């Protein structure tokens, strides 16, 4: 992909990307439509909010608890447990059918647990198989493969649900997801069992934040700012597209178009981005992902939602790649911090979960009062500008890298 890096990705990094891609395809097939499925059964924005809150909180708790397993035992089993529990989640939704609306909080908790087990292990292994020289490349590939999954999977799902008239279509896509999750588990056995080192420190995150001058006191708010936006956008955009069109096929087409744009953008940004231009790239990305929300103030329609989606897909890589790479560079800045990678990854997730819960809380406050299109647009804009604060918190870290590369 990129020729700017002196250190290419190795076979284990490539295999990890494939496992993540399969996990992403399975989730893209069904995950895009779970909020829609629950909304159709309940007609309740609040139900979707509480389902998502259960998911976020449980994901964060699972990260913290599973950190001990990942650090002291077999992290690959945590990765597989996450994939298997994702399969169990979709299987449960499949079996419950329309009754899923009565179990929205337990379902959110189950999905959050699945996400927690998978991503704590994935992030630790990602750190171990990459280094500062090829991390932007890995993140570029991860974004590219994630976008590729988002191109085909939701589009196929939308066509199947529409052509099979709802319930049968949902059953089919949830079943296909189960098969792909199974393939992902099998493939994960080719990932090497990695060495365990040290004892897990349950209080590590608090200890970091209590130290005066510790860089994580500034890094954590930057991560939380990313989470505030994610907390709302991860589920509300797709749901808004469905409510505006009342058509799963159009939601699938929306995902196809926006993911195709994101694929191209991630490829270009992953290829061109260097430590020397991360600061400017991230600022442009943070501003533009807020600016592209403005067309929705004119009218919330399929056309304006598509404009917003394409704009987000174009500029999000400029924001997310520098953010992710710089956080993991900080984790690996010394031998001591690298030995505490599991605890730092849990701390990073705590920042994301805190931000997501803050963003989601604003949703749970606003929607009962007013769920009109203009209220939803104002909510999207309010949380959509928060990443600019994230850039401000990240600025010293990015400037430090820029100066280091200039001197080098």
């Amino acid at each position: 992909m990129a020729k700017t890096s002196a250190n290419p990705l190795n076979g284990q990094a490539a295999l990890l990307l494939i496992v993540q891609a399969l996990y992403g395809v399975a989730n893209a097939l069904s995950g895009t439509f779970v909020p829609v499925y629950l909304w159709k059964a309940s007609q309740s924005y609040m139900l979707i909010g509480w389902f998502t809150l259960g998911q976020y909180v449980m994901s964060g708790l699972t990260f913290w608890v599973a950190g001990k397993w990942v650090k002291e035992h077999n992290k690959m089993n945590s990765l597989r447990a996450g994939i298997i529990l994702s399969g169990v989640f979709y299987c449960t939704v499949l079996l419950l059918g329309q009754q899923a609306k009565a179990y929205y909080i337990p379902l959110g908790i189950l999905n959050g647990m699945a996400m927690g087990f998978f991503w704590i292990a994935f992030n630790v292994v990602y750190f171990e198989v990459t280094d500062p020289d090829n991390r932007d490349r890995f993140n570029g590939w991860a974004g590219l493969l994630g976008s590729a999954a988002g191109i085909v999977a939701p589009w196929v799902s939308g066509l199947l649900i529409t052509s099979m008239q709802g319930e049968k279509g949902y059953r089919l896509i949830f079943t296909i997801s189960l098969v792909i999750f199974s393939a992902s588990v099998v493939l994960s056995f080719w990932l090497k069992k990695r060495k365990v080192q040290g004892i897990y420190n349950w209080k590590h995150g608090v200890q970091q934040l209590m130290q005066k001058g510790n860089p994580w006191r500034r890094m954590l708010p930057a991560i939380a700012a990313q989470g505030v936006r994610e907390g709302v956008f991860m589920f509300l955009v797709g749901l808004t597209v469905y409510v505006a069109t009342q058509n799963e096929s159009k939601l699938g087409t929306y995902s196809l178009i926006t993911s195709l744009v994101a694929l191209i953008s991630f490829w270009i940004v992953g290829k061109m981005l260097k430590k020397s231009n991360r600061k400017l790239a991230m600022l442009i990305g943070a501003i533009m992902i807020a600016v592209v929300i403005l067309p929705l103030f004119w009218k919330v329609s399929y056309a304006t939602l598509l404009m917003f989606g394409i704009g987000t897909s174009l500029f999000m890589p400029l924001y997310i790649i520098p953010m992710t790479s710089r956080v993991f560079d900080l984790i690996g800045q010394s031998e001591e911090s690298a030995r505490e990678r599991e605890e730092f990854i849990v701390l990073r997730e705590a920042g994301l979960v805190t931000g997501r819960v803050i963003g989601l809380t604003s949703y749970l406050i606003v929607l009962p009062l007013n769920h009109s299109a203009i209220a939803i647009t104002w909510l999207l804009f309010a949380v959509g500008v928060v990443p600019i604060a994230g850039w401000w918190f990240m600025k010293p870290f990015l400037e430090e890298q820029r100066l280091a590369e200039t001197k080098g």
Side-chain angles (χ1 to χ4, degrees):
M1 185 179 157
K3 295 181 181 179
T4 54
S5 171
N7 196 357
L9 298 175
N10 60 30
Q12 285 289 291
L15 187 57
L16 184 65
L17 281 167
I18 294 169
V19 170
Q20 183 199 9
L22 286 174
Y23 181 80
V25 167
N27 273 312
L29 267 170
S30 300
T32 309
F33 295 93
V34 166
V36 172
Y37 187 75
L38 291 173
W39 190 85
K40 286 178 75 174
S42 66
Q43 299 289 302
S44 170
Y45 282 100
M46 291 301 289
L47 184 147
I48 308 301
W50 287 110
F51 162 80
T52 309
L53 184 64
Q55 180 179 288
Y56 291 161
V57 172
M58 195 62 202
S59 170
L61 287 173
T62 304
F63 252 80
W64 183 56
V65 174
K68 184 174 177 66
W69 186 13
V70 168
K71 188 175 184 77
E72 299 178 16
H73 302 287
N74 189 345
K75 56 185 69 95
M76 290 304 154
N77 284 340
S78 176
L79 187 86
R80 293 175 197 120
I83 300 170
I84 291 166
L85 284 172
S86 289
V88 171
F89 166 73
Y90 289 113
C91 188
T92 305
V93 175
L94 189 64
L95 293 172
L96 286 172
Q98 289 291 303
Q99 289 306 306
K101 66 184 179 184
Y103 301 94
Y104 57 94
I105 291 180
L107 285 171
I109 289 170
L110 176 58
N111 200 29
M113 196 182 300
M115 291 166 65
F117 278 122
F118 179 83
W119 288 111
I120 176 68
F122 175 88
N123 284 326
V124 171
V125 178
Y126 151 72
F127 175 82
E128 294 174 352
V129 300
T130 60
D131 56 52
D133 290 330
N134 63 17
R135 214 154 268 151
D136 282 347
R137 175 185 286 198
F138 184 98
N139 289 329
W141 271 110
L144 191 149
L145 291 171
S147 300
I151 289 170
V152 179
W155 180 68
V156 170
S157 296
L159 286 178
L160 289 172
I161 293 167
T162 306
S163 62
M164 298 179 77
Q165 297 185 336
E167 199 67 26
K168 287 182 181 177
Y170 278 104
R171 283 201 293 268
L172 178 59
I173 63 163
F174 290 160
T175 303
I176 294 170
S177 287
L178 288 174
V179 173
I180 297 172
F181 281 129
S182 301
S184 183
V185 169
V186 171
L187 196 61
S188 72
F189 282 96
W190 274 269
L191 285 165
K192 293 175 185 173
K193 183 178 177 181
R194 313 194 72 79
K195 292 179 182 177
V196 294
Q197 185 181 28
I199 303 297
Y200 184 65
N201 181 359
W202 293 97
K203 299 177 182 177
H204 178 268
V206 174
Q207 290 167 352
Q208 295 297 311
L209 299 177
M210 293 288 285
Q211 289 175 9
K212 194 173 181 181
N214 190 300
W216 281 90
R217 295 179 75 165
R218 189 175 180 102
M219 180 63 84
L220 201 71
I223 297 168
Q226 175 189 337
V228 170
R229 183 188 185 279
E230 286 181 359
V232 175
F233 279 67
M234 282 201 296
F235 73 95
L236 186 56
V237 172
L239 184 59
T240 303
V241 172
Y242 175 76
V243 171
T245 62
Q246 296 293 308
N247 188 306
E248 286 94 346
S249 182
K250 284 195 172 181
L251 174 54
T253 303
Y254 176 90
S255 184
L256 182 151
I257 294 168
T258 55
S259 295
L260 179 60
V261 174
L263 184 147
I264 296 166
S265 185
F266 268 106
W267 183 77
I268 293 170
V269 174
K271 188 173 183 179
M272 303 298 291
L273 203 63
K274 299 174 185 175
K275 289 178 184 176
S276 59
N277 59 20
R278 278 182 184 175
K279 181 181 167 185
L280 178 60
M282 191 175 173
L283 175 61
I284 294 169
I287 293 171
M288 291 309 297
I289 59 176
V291 169
V292 295
I293 301 167
L294 296 178
L296 299 180
F297 283 103
W298 175 56
K299 185 181 181 184
V300 177
S301 65
Y302 190 65
T304 55
L305 283 163
L306 204 53
M307 289 167 63
F308 153 73
I310 290 170
T312 301
S313 298
L314 271 174
F315 296 106
M316 181 56 77
L318 291 171
Y319 178 80
I320 209 71
I321 293 179
M323 169 68 85
T324 305
S325 296
R326 186 62 187 93
V327 171
F328 281 89
D329 290 348
L330 181 61
I331 295 171
Q333 69 178 353
S334 68
E335 284 189 26
E336 183 186 355
S337 62
R339 283 196 299 271
E340 297 170 336
R341 56 188 171 272
E342 291 85 359
E343 287 90 345
F344 277 119
I345 286 167
V346 170
L347 180 56
R348 171 182 180 261
E349 185 66 15
L352 283 172
V353 169
T354 301
R356 287 169 184 167
V357 170
I358 291 169
L360 189 56
T361 300
S362 66
Y363 168 91
L364 291 170
I365 292 170
V366 170
L367 267 291
L369 301 173
N370 187 349
H371 57 257
S372 65
I374 192 65
I376 290 172
T377 302
W378 272 112
L379 176 64
L380 289 171
F381 186 73
V383 298
V385 299
V386 175
I388 297 172
W391 171 84
W392 185 84
F393 282 111
M394 284 289 290
K395 194 168 59 166
F397 300 107
L398 300 170
E399 182 64 18
E400 181 186 314
Q401 281 196 325
R402 187 188 70 79
L403 291 173
E405 185 165 276
T406 303
K407 289 177 183 176

